[in-house]
C-alpha cells in the first residue's frame, strides 16, 4: 500500500452516515425484509451491485470484528426502509476506517512478507511495458524516485476536493465551481491523472453530487471547505426549513434532490430536529452542539425570534415539539461519480478499461477513482461507502486472479489475519510448543501410560507458568479525553487507542 498522506484513511474516514446494506444480516436480525429492488432502476449494473454487495458487506464487517458497534438507521434516499449501517457512537467512517487501519498495521507488522505500508509517498507514474501496467514509480517526502513492480490497484479517490484553475472540476464541470466542497485536498484527481497517462478511458467526469447538509459554521459562511452534518439526523426526523420557516422538500429524498430543491427556495437553510427525535442519534447531536455546528433552542418560538419570524409562521411540523437542535446548512460538493472506466461483468470485473473498452493488463481500480455506472443511485445515502467495498473486493479478486495465473500463491486475507492474531507472542514459547509431543487425552491413556505420566510429573515437581508479557501499561479513558483536538486526536477502537492526528 502506497499512501500519499501521513496516515491511511482517505476521504472515507470522514463519512458521517454509514453504509447502505440492503439484504444485510443486521437488517434480518431487526426483522427487516429488504431485497433493495427500489435501488435497481438504472439497469443491470445497478442490479448486480445491489445483489452482490450484501455479501461484500458481511465479509467486510466480520473480518473487522465491529459487529457489536453497528446499528441500523433510516437515512435519505431509502424511503421508509431502514437499511443504512451506522455506529452507536462516533462517525461510521472513523470507526470502520480506523478498524481497517489497525488490522492492516497488525498484518504489516506480523507478516511483512505479505504487506508493506509506505506512507507519505506519492505515486508519480504507472510503469508500463507496451500497453501493460507493470508497476509504479513513487517518491517519499524529500526522497528520490523509487519503483515497485507488479499489478496495480488504484484507489486514490475522486477529484471533488480540487477546484482551482486547471482542475478536473474546472475542465469538465465548471458549473460546480460556485459551490464549496466537503472534500479535502486528498480528493485531487490523482487517480484520473495516473490512469489516463497509462491509456485508461474515463467517463462521467461532469457528474458530481451535492449534499444539502454542508454546515455553515459561525463566521465561516464563505469558507471553501465545509463539514457535513450527518444525514442520519434527517433520517431520525430532522426537517429542512428555509428563510420563511417552512419546509421546502421531503428530507428523505436523495441528497441531490434535496440540493436541487434548495435552488428554488430562500436561503439561509436550517436542519432542525427536536429533542425527542434526537434521542436515537444523541451522540451526533451532542457532538455537533459541542462544536457549534448545531445550536439548541428552547422552543420553536425562540428559533422563530432568532429568524425574525412569528412563531405561527414556522412550519407545522415544528410546532409543539419542545426543545430544538438547529444547524444552518447549504449545498456543497460531496462526491463525484465520474472517473476511470472499469468493468463489472465477469471477464472485466474490477479491471481498468481503455478508451475502446478493452481491459488494460495489470491495472485495476476501485472506489471514487472509478466511473460509477449508476450516477442517480450514487446520491442516495450510504451508497458511496457500499460501492467502495463492492468495487474494492471486485478489484482485489481480479488482481489476485492475475497473480494466481502467473504462478504466485494467493492466500485469503482472513487466513493471513487469523495467523497474525493467533501468533504466539514469544518465539521461545513457540519453539517449545513445536518440540513438545502431542499428548493423548486422559480418557484414552492405558493404565501404564497414566502411571508413567504421574511419575514424570512427580519427578519434575509443579509446572511453572510461562512468563506473561503484559505489554505496555494501559491508557486510561481520562488520558484519551485529553487528546480531542484537530491538532492532537486519539480514538478508541475495540479497546485499542489509535493516534488519528493528521
Amino acid at each position: 500500500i502506497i499512501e500519499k498522506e501521513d496516515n491511511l484513511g482517505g476521504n472515507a474516514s470522514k463519512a458521517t452516515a454509514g453504509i447502505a446494506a440492503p439484504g444485510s444480516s443486521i437488517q434480518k436480525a431487526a426483522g427487516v425484509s429488504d431485497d433493495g429492488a427500489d435501488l435497481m432502476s438504472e439497469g443491470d449494473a445497478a442490479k448486480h451491485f445491489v445483489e452482490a454487495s450484501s455479501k461484500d458487506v458481511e465479509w467486510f464487517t466480520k473480518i473487522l470484528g465491529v459487529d457489536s458497534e453497528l446499528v441500523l438507521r433510516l437515512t435519505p434516499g431509502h424511503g421508509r426502509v431502514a437499511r443504512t449501517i451506522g455506529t452507536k457512537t462516533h462517525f461510521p467512517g472513523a470507526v470502520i476506517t480506523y478498524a481497517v487501519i489497525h488490522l492492516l498495521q497488525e498484518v504489516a507488522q506480523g507478516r511483512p512478507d505479505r504487506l508493506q505500508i509506505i506512507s507519505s509517498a506519492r505515486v508519480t507514474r504507472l510503469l508500463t511495458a507496451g500497453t501493460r501496467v507493470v508497476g509504479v514509480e513513487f517518491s517519499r517526502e524529500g526522497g528520490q524516485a523509487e519503483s515497485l513492480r507488479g499489478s496495480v490497484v488504484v484507489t486514490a479517490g475522486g477529484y471533488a476536493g480540487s477546484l482551482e484553475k486547471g482542475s478536473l472540476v474546472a475542465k469538465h464541470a465548471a458549473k460546480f465551481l460556485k459551490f464549496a466542497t466537503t472534500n479535502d485536498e486528498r480528493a485531487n484527481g490523482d487517480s484520473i491523472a495516473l490512469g489516463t497517462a497509462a491509456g485508461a478511458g474515463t467517463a462521467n467526469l461532469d457528474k458530481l453530487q451535492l449534499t444539502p447538509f454542508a454546515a455553515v459554521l459561525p463566521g465561516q459562511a464563505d469558507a471553501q471547505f465545509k463539514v457535513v452534518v450527518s444525514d442520519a439526523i434527517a433520517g431520525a426526523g430532522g426537517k429542512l426549513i428555509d428563510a420563511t420557516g417552512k419546509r421546502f422538500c421531503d428530507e428523505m429524498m436523495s441528497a441531490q434532490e434535496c440540493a436541487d430543491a434548495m435552488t428554488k427556495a430562500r436561503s439561509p437553510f436550517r436542519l432542525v430536529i427536536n429533542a425527542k427525535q434526537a434521542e436515537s442519534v444523541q451522540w451526533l447531536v451532542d457532538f455537533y452542539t459541542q462544536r457549534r455546528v448545531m445550536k439548541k433552542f428552547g422552543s420553536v418560538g425562540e428559533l422563530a425570534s432568532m429568524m425574525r419570524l412569528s412563531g405561527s409562521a414556522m412550519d407545522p411540523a415544528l410546532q409543539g415539539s419542545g426543545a430544538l437542535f438547529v444547524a444552518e446548512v447549504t449545498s456543497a460538493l460531496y462526491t463525484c461519480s465520474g472517473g476511470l472506466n472499469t468493468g463489472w461483468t465477469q471477464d472485466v470485473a474490477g479491471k481498468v478499461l481503455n478508451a475502446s473498452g478493452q481491459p488494460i493488463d495489470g491495472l485495476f481500480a476501485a472506489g471514487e477513482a472509478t466511473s460509477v455506472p449508476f450516477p442517480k443511485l450514487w446520491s442516495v445515502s450510504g451508497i458511496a461507502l457500499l460501492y467502495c467495498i463492492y468495487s474494492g473486493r471486485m478489484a482485489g479478486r481480479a488482481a489476485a486472479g492475475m497473480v494466481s495465473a502467473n504462478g504466485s500463491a494467493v492466500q485469503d486475507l482472513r487466513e493471513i489475519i487469523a495467523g497474525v492474531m493467533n501468533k504466539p507472542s514469544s518465539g521461545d514459547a513457540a519453539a517449545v510448543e513445536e518440540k513438545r509431543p502431542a499428548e493423548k487425552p486422559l480418557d484414552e491413556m492405558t493404565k501404564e501410560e497414566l502411571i508413567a505420566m504421574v511419575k514424570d510429573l512427580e519427578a519434575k515437581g509443579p509446572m511453572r507458568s510461562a512468563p506473561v508479557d503484559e505489554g505496555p501499561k494501559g491508557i486510561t479513558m481520562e488520558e484519551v479525553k485529553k487528546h480531542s483536538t484537530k491538532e492532537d486526536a486519539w480514538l478508541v477502537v475495540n479497546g485499542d487507542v489509535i493516534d488519528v492526528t493528521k
Side-chain angles (χ1 to χ4, degrees):
I1 298 175
I2 301 178
E3 168 60 48
K4 60 189 173 186
E5 300 295 326
D6 295 339
N7 301 301
L8 298 174
N11 223 25
S13 63
K14 302 193 282 88
T16 61
I19 305 168
S24 62
S25 61
I26 191 170
Q27 278 187 312
K28 293 170 184 174
V32 178
S33 177
D34 178 23
D35 61 6
D38 57 302
L39 303 175
M40 302 180 189
S41 63
E42 287 184 86
D44 291 341
K47 186 174 186 293
H48 182 271
F49 165 63
V50 173
E51 292 177 343
S53 59
S54 62
K55 293 180 181 177
D56 296 326
V57 170
E58 295 301 309
W59 175 88
F60 184 68
T61 56
K62 298 293 184 204
I63 209 169
L64 294 184
V66 295
D67 284 23
S68 62
E69 301 290 327
L70 306 180
V71 294
L72 195 60
R73 297 199 186 281
L74 185 68
T75 58
H78 299 286
R80 289 295 157 186
V81 180
R83 63 161 65 113
T84 301
I85 297 175
T87 44
K88 295 175 182 176
T89 58
H90 302 288
F91 294 116
V95 172
I96 293 169
T97 303
Y98 290 120
V100 171
I101 293 170
H102 176 66
L103 195 60
L104 290 175
Q105 288 173 337
E106 289 284 333
V107 173
Q109 183 176 357
R111 290 294 304 275
D113 59 312
R114 297 303 258 161
L115 175 63
Q116 182 184 8
I117 300 173
I118 303 170
S119 58
S120 301
R122 186 171 291 277
V123 174
T124 52
R125 68 185 179 102
L126 300 179
L127 302 177
T128 57
T131 59
R132 177 186 176 88
V133 171
V134 296
V136 298
E137 182 180 271
F138 69 98
S139 58
R140 307 174 202 243
E141 284 187 2
Q144 306 220 338
E146 304 175 54
S147 65
L148 285 171
R149 297 276 169 168
S151 300
V152 179
V153 182
V154 178
T155 60
Y159 51 92
S162 178
L163 305 180
E164 68 274 7
K165 185 178 179 180
S167 66
L168 288 170
V169 177
K171 288 179 181 178
H172 300 279
K175 66 180 181 179
F176 289 103
L177 292 175
K178 64 183 179 181
F179 294 98
T181 181
T182 62
N183 294 247
D184 60 27
E185 66 278 0
R186 290 173 288 194
N188 59 12
D190 281 354
S191 299
I192 313 299
L194 289 169
T196 53
T202 60
N204 297 326
L205 293 179
D206 60 331
K207 299 289 193 301
L208 289 94
Q209 279 69 39
L210 301 172
T211 175
F213 301 118
V216 179
L217 302 180
Q220 299 182 38
D222 297 327
Q224 188 68 14
F225 174 77
K226 299 277 195 276
V227 298
V228 182
V229 178
S230 174
D231 52 16
I233 291 178
K239 303 292 186 289
L240 279 170
I241 62 173
D242 64 9
T244 69
K246 296 291 195 297
R247 294 173 67 196
F248 56 91
C249 68
D250 177 356
E251 298 80 10
M252 295 307 291
M253 296 191 302
S254 72
Q256 188 63 51
E257 289 173 315
C258 288
D260 289 343
M262 278 183 166
T263 64
K264 302 169 186 175
R266 283 179 53 194
S267 63
F269 306 104
R270 292 175 174 85
L271 177 63
V272 184
I273 187 169
N274 68 48
K276 182 65 178 175
Q277 294 166 332
E279 289 176 1
S280 65
V281 285
Q282 197 64 56
W283 184 87
L284 288 169
V285 171
D286 289 345
F287 176 88
Y288 290 132
T289 304
Q290 290 166 7
R291 284 156 181 78
R292 298 197 306 156
V293 175
M294 299 191 90
K295 183 177 180 180
K296 185 176 181 180
F297 292 84
S299 65
V300 67
E302 186 179 334
L303 173 60
S305 177
M306 184 277 293
M307 295 175 64
R308 298 183 180 179
L309 299 172
S310 65
S312 61
M314 303 298 284
D315 195 275
L318 304 179
Q319 300 294 343
S321 53
L324 303 171
F325 295 91
V326 182
E328 184 178 341
V329 293
T330 189
S331 294
L333 286 176
Y334 190 46
T335 58
C336 46
S337 54
L340 301 175
N341 264 335
T342 54
W344 59 270
T345 54
Q346 188 171 1
D347 293 340
V348 294
K351 298 177 181 179
V352 174
L353 311 177
N354 63 22
S356 301
Q358 298 301 309
I360 298 174
D361 285 346
L363 185 59
F364 311 86
E368 273 196 288
T370 70
S371 173
V372 181
F374 30 80
K376 290 182 181 177
L377 179 57
W378 190 247
S379 67
V380 171
S381 177
I383 290 296
L385 278 187
L386 179 62
Y387 180 77
C388 284
I389 298 168
Y390 160 84
S391 60
R393 288 204 76 202
M394 190 186 297
R397 283 192 295 264
M402 184 172 182
V403 169
S404 179
N406 291 336
S408 299
V410 173
Q411 187 178 9
D412 191 297
L413 179 59
R414 289 168 293 188
E415 295 176 9
I416 299 173
I417 291 169
V420 169
M421 296 308 183
N422 296 329
K423 192 174 181 181
S425 59
S426 167
D428 293 337
V432 171
E433 284 295 326
E434 290 174 1
K435 293 177 183 177
R436 184 179 296 157
E439 295 180 350
K440 283 185 180 180
L442 295 180
D443 58 358
E444 293 181 10
M445 287 185 179
T446 65
K447 177 180 177 182
E448 289 72 24
E449 288 172 331
L450 282 169
I451 292 172
M453 186 186 74
V454 170
K455 286 183 177 179
D456 185 53
L457 290 173
E458 288 176 342
K460 292 179 178 177
M463 292 182 67
R464 291 185 299 169
S465 299
V468 177
D469 181 6
E470 297 181 349
K473 190 173 180 66
I475 299 173
T476 66
M477 285 305 297
E478 291 304 314
E479 177 63 24
V480 173
K481 289 176 182 177
K482 297 176 184 176
H483 303 268
S484 59
T485 66
K486 182 177 179 180
E487 293 75 25
D488 179 23
W490 289 7
L491 185 70
V492 179
V493 177
N494 292 337
D496 294 313
V497 177
I498 305 171
D499 184 348
V500 297
T501 310
K502 183 175 177 182

